[in-house]
Amino acid sequence: MPFGILGTGSAFPDRILTNQDLEKIVETNDEWIRTRTGICERRMAEPEIATSDLAARAGAKAIAEAGLTPADIDLVIVATFTPDHFTPSTACLVHGKLNIPNCMAFDVNAACTGWIYALSCANGLLTTGMAKKALVIGADCVTRLTNFKDRTTCVLFGDAAGAVVLGEVEEGRGILSQFCSADGRQGQYIIVPGGGSRNPCSHEVVDKDEQFLQMSGNDVFKFAATTLPEAVNIAVDRAGLKIDDLDWIIPHQANLRIIDNAVKRLHVPHEKFIINIDRFGNTSAASIGVALDEAVGDGRVKPGQLICLVAFGGGLTWGANVIRL
Ligand code: UT7
């Protein structure tokens, strides 16, 4: 039997950070942010909220939407590059918070492509019989690694979590294809230089703001311009489909101009792309899960429809899945 999505969930902080709020923090303006990125506002976790809190909320909703209880889950994967701690993993924290019976639980770090990597790993493990029902979560509190003195990055990111429960579905439905790739030679384009084993946390690291994310936006933009359409084409091909067969494309929400570029290169109508970057900004591994949950919730995405999920990000990494819901 194939494996597919049984339920979706999402969670985000209540606190909203608008472009106008950012105008008071760095030298930027609403017009620049909207025209260059498509972002109007983003969510920012309150000080007491960490990634596992949002992840657990999204996960609990996905389990309930699937008509299941935590006792039914036997695999937990969390995609994140902003874990609460180096150890325990965020997946283990979620496992504990939701009181899931003892099972395999681990994090995947593929930055903004984490959602695709986690979904693909879960599908692989389910297919081998190692688990029957997987809770897959993409969750990031990127604002915790954001330098609010750096206008080139601080206007882009937000905090959120998206989740799905994967389990057996009828023949012809579920995850029809997967494609994941990486080019480590371009890793320096998105990097948190300090705080890890290469450059452990110290006063010097903090003085130089090296605990924050640094990004070469133009290089990542060029990378995304080619890899996003490439990933869609490969995933569609592997599913034995044509691009016109897709009902929806849910891209990682990094920049509206990157999505517009994909529209042109793939010759897919703009209306087929699910876009919510205006309200959430770039929420990294959470972005696809949040958009999916929203589109399922408001009835745009319906059972039986074909969806392509596609992402790119730190690593550098990229990938896509085709799913029949
Ligand atoms: O999730 C995956 C990882 N991230 C991405 O996918 C991000 C990909 N890259 C991008 O989305 C875009 O490259 C950015 C949004 C980051 C930047 O947009 P851009 O059109 O590539 O701008 P730019 O970096 O070429 O900068 C253009 C100008 C510069 O000024 P000068 O040198 O022309 O005078 C920047 O200093 O815009 C300036 N600028 C800003 N101005 C106002 C950069 N950030 C800002 C800002 N407000 N926030």
Side-chain angles (χ1 to χ4, degrees), residues 13 45-57 80 82-85 90 93-94 97 139-142 144 159-161:
E46 297 81 3
E48 68 280 9
I49 300 293
T51 301
S52 71
D53 300 313
L54 297 176
R57 271 171 50 201
T80 185
T82 57
D84 294 26
H85 311 285
T90 306
L93 295 174
V94 169
K97 280 177 201 275
D140 271 309
C141 284
V142 193
R144 290 286 149 76
D159 305 333

Side-chain angles (χ1 to χ4, degrees), residues 26-29 32-33 35-37 111-113 150-157 189-190 213 215-222 224 252-258 282-284 312-314 316:
V26 281
E27 199 184 324
T28 189
N29 58 76
W32 191 96
I33 303 171
T35 54
R36 297 286 182 135
T37 72
C112 302
T113 319
D150 175 9
R151 69 174 183 173
T152 68
T153 53
C154 77
V155 302
L156 304 174
F157 297 103
Y189 290 145
I190 306 177
L213 181 145
M215 184 171 68
S216 174
N218 286 307
D219 289 302
V220 179
F221 195 102
K222 278 183 225 146
H252 168 50
Q253 316 276 316
N255 187 320
L256 191 56
R257 290 188 293 137
I258 292 174
N282 181 346
T283 58
S284 186
F312 56 89
L316 297 178

Side-chain angles (χ1 to χ4, degrees), residues 80-123:
T80 185
F81 83 105
T82 57
D84 294 26
H85 311 285
F86 284 138
T87 191
S89 70
T90 306
C92 284
L93 295 174
V94 169
H95 178 273
K97 280 177 201 275
L98 297 184
N99 209 14
I100 291 169
N102 293 355
C103 67
M104 185 187 280
F106 64 94
D107 287 359
V108 166
N109 178 348
C112 302
T113 319
W115 178 268
I116 305 293
Y117 270 59
L119 210 64
S120 302
C121 286
N123 189 38

Side-chain angles (χ1 to χ4, degrees), residues 62-306:
I63 292 169
E65 288 292 322
L68 300 171
T69 71
D72 298 309
I73 302 297
D74 56 4
L75 170 64
V76 182
I77 304 181
V78 175
T80 185
F81 83 105
T82 57
D84 294 26
H85 311 285
F86 284 138
T87 191
S89 70
T90 306
C92 284
L93 295 174
V94 169
H95 178 273
K97 280 177 201 275
L98 297 184
N99 209 14
I100 291 169
N102 293 355
C103 67
M104 185 187 280
F106 64 94
D107 287 359
V108 166
N109 178 348
C112 302
T113 319
W115 178 268
I116 305 293
Y117 270 59
L119 210 64
S120 302
C121 286
N123 189 38
L125 288 167
L126 291 167
T127 305
T128 66
M130 281 186 73
K132 288 198 175 327
K133 292 207 171 52
L135 177 61
V136 180
I137 303 172
D140 271 309
C141 284
V142 193
T143 66
R144 290 286 149 76
L145 294 188
T146 299
N147 182 354
F148 280 93
K149 286 179 260 171
D150 175 9
R151 69 174 183 173
T152 68
T153 53
C154 77
V155 302
L156 304 174
F157 297 103
D159 305 333
V164 288
V165 172
L166 297 182
E168 276 187 11
V169 291
E170 67 200 54
E171 207 57 58
R173 293 174 85 156
I175 299 176
L176 304 183
S177 73
Q178 47 205 31
F179 163 69
C180 294
S181 196
D183 179 3
R185 289 167 293 268
Q186 300 191 65
Q188 75 279 10
Y189 290 145
I190 306 177
I191 189 165
V192 180
S197 61
R198 171 75 53 200
N199 187 17
C201 193
S202 66
H203 288 292
E204 203 189 340
V205 163
V206 174
D207 287 344
K208 290 187 192 160
D209 285 335
E210 288 177 341
Q211 75 277 30
F212 294 127
L213 181 145
Q214 297 173 3
M215 184 171 68
S216 174
N218 286 307
D219 289 302
V220 179
F221 195 102
K222 278 183 225 146
F223 166 80
T226 53
T227 52
L228 195 155
E230 174 198 289
V232 172
N233 280 324
I234 292 173
V236 166
D237 196 48
R238 285 185 182 176
L241 298 165
K242 298 260 174 303
I243 196 95
D244 292 342
D245 296 328
L246 294 175
D247 294 295
W248 299 102
I249 296 179
I250 308 186
H252 168 50
Q253 316 276 316
N255 187 320
L256 191 56
R257 290 188 293 137
I258 292 174
I259 298 172
D260 289 343
N261 171 73
V263 168
K264 285 197 197 104
R265 288 195 185 215
L266 291 166
H267 306 289
V268 173
H270 205 274
E271 310 78 71
K272 282 196 176 184
F273 282 74
I274 305 249
I275 298 168
N276 64 8
I277 190 171
D278 51 325
R279 287 173 290 121
F280 294 107
N282 181 346
T283 58
S284 186
S287 79
I288 292 176
V290 169
L292 173 68
D293 183 49
E294 207 171 50
V296 168
D298 66 23
R300 270 176 295 169
V301 171
K302 297 179 183 60
Q305 287 188 326
L306 275 169

